[in-house]
Amino acid sequence: MREDVLRVEDLVVAARGRDHPVLAGVSLALSRGETLGIVGESGSGKSTLARAIVRLEAPLALSGGQILLSGEDLSNLSRRRLRALRGRTIGLVPQDPLGAFDPLFPVGAQVRAFVRTHRAAIARAAGTTPDAALAATHQRIEAFGVKNAKTVGRQRPDAFSRGMLQRVLFALATAPAPDLLVLDEPTAALDAPVADRLLTDVARLAGSVGTATLLITHDLSLAALAADRILVLKDGRVVETAPTAHLIARPQSAYTQRLVASGAW
């Protein structure tokens, strides 16, 4: 039986004081261990959807619908409860890796702060003790392609390439084995072979612990590689959704047909 980790029902997101919504009645479901690709052109509402799901939608605002994570309605939670869920239960890899780090502090210090907050979950996911959670996180960072994570972590973010910071974010987002992993254009800073390998690694890790993954991307070919199902957005509305192979072989809408025809396969 399908076990939905995430259900989004009739979600409406709009700018305050504006009549025209950025997202208009978006619904989706995502089950444990599944990857759903959200694709569409620039301005379709993909990143707005990602931010709304993790309740970081400001300066926009939710004005309708529900976001249910394992049955809990995120749209009505307190800030304290949301902070408890982010990082531990919901992992996020944003599209701007440099903006995800405080420029004033070494990357290693920020990694340690993350581990202190989520030590128990990281230790449980790694099958180790809480005292070894930091070492397990360093190992994970190195597994994602950052050599000597403990040493290079002494540098501030501006000493890293965008691609290297993105690898650190991948490692941190997956370390606590979250129920939901949101990847918002996560490979923009990476070349294609590295991006493919990282998404393959994420899929393997997520599948092993049952994490549900939401992959936001403008690249239909990337979604076709990584996603079990694909949902197509246009102007804040769902155009169609289907299993990946079915959508690529038999797109139903003219918009999706155009995306498939222009994709790099």
Side-chain angles (χ1 to χ4, degrees), residues 44-61:
S44 62
K46 304 185 304 297
S47 289
T48 298
L49 176 59
R51 292 183 63 82
I53 288 172
V54 297
R55 295 306 318 278
L56 294 171
E57 68 276 359
L60 303 176

Side-chain angles (χ1 to χ4, degrees), residues 111-134:
V111 169
R112 290 193 296 274
F114 180 88
V115 172
R116 282 195 299 272
T117 302
H118 305 293
R119 185 185 304 275
I122 292 170
R124 187 164 53 248
T128 188
T129 65
D131 288 342
L134 180 60

Side-chain angles (χ1 to χ4, degrees), residues 16 55 76-86:
R16 300 181 189 278
R55 295 306 318 278
N76 294 314
L77 293 186
S78 66
R79 291 182 179 180
R80 181 177 181 180
R81 176 58 178 157
L82 286 169
R83 285 196 299 269
L85 291 174
R86 293 182 190 131

Side-chain angles (χ1 to χ4, degrees), residues 207-263:
S208 68
V209 297
T211 295
T213 304
L214 196 67
L215 171 63
I216 310 290
T217 179
H218 67 279
D219 186 345
L220 183 57
S221 63
L222 190 67
L225 171 72
D228 301 296
R229 291 186 298 120
I230 293 176
L231 182 150
V232 181
L233 271 184
K234 183 179 187 296
D235 298 329
R237 299 179 184 275
V238 177
V239 174
E240 66 179 285
T241 182
T244 299
H246 181 88
L247 185 137
I248 297 301
R250 294 183 293 278
Q252 298 299 302
S253 73
Y255 178 70
T256 307
Q257 291 168 9
R258 198 159 61 247
L259 287 180
V260 171
S262 64

Side-chain angles (χ1 to χ4, degrees), residues 27-219:
S27 297
L28 62 87
L30 185 56
S31 62
R32 191 166 297 282
E34 182 185 29
T35 297
L36 175 65
I38 308 292
V39 302
E41 297 170 318
S42 179
S44 62
K46 304 185 304 297
S47 289
T48 298
L49 176 59
R51 292 183 63 82
I53 288 172
V54 297
R55 295 306 318 278
L56 294 171
E57 68 276 359
L60 303 176
L62 299 183
S63 55
Q66 288 185 309
I67 304 166
L68 302 171
L69 180 65
S70 299
E72 186 172 15
D73 188 355
L74 303 187
S75 58
N76 294 314
L77 293 186
S78 66
R79 291 182 179 180
R80 181 177 181 180
R81 176 58 178 157
L82 286 169
R83 285 196 299 269
L85 291 174
R86 293 182 190 131
R88 184 187 66 198
T89 306
I90 306 172
L92 171 66
V93 178
Q95 58 182 303
D96 177 16
L98 189 58
F101 290 90
D102 189 320
L104 300 180
F105 296 94
V107 169
Q110 297 179 64
V111 169
R112 290 193 296 274
F114 180 88
V115 172
R116 282 195 299 272
T117 302
H118 305 293
R119 185 185 304 275
I122 292 170
R124 187 164 53 248
T128 188
T129 65
D131 288 342
L134 180 60
T137 303
H138 285 151
Q139 291 173 2
R140 180 172 288 261
I141 292 171
E142 291 176 357
F144 273 99
V146 180
K147 295 181 180 179
N148 303 315
K150 186 175 181 179
T151 301
V152 301
R154 296 168 186 162
Q155 299 173 311
R156 292 190 304 186
D158 59 4
F160 287 70
S161 69
R162 286 170 54 86
M164 200 65 75
L165 289 175
Q166 198 70 299
R167 288 173 169 85
V168 176
L169 289 175
F170 268 106
L172 296 183
T174 57
D179 292 339
L180 174 66
L181 179 62
V182 179
L183 307 177
D184 183 11
E185 297 281 8
T187 60
L190 306 170
D191 58 37
V194 173
D196 293 351
R197 186 166 64 252
L198 281 176
L199 287 180
T200 298
D201 289 345
V202 168
R204 176 178 52 79
L205 289 168
S208 68
V209 297
T211 295
T213 304
L214 196 67
L215 171 63
I216 310 290
T217 179
H218 67 279
D219 186 345

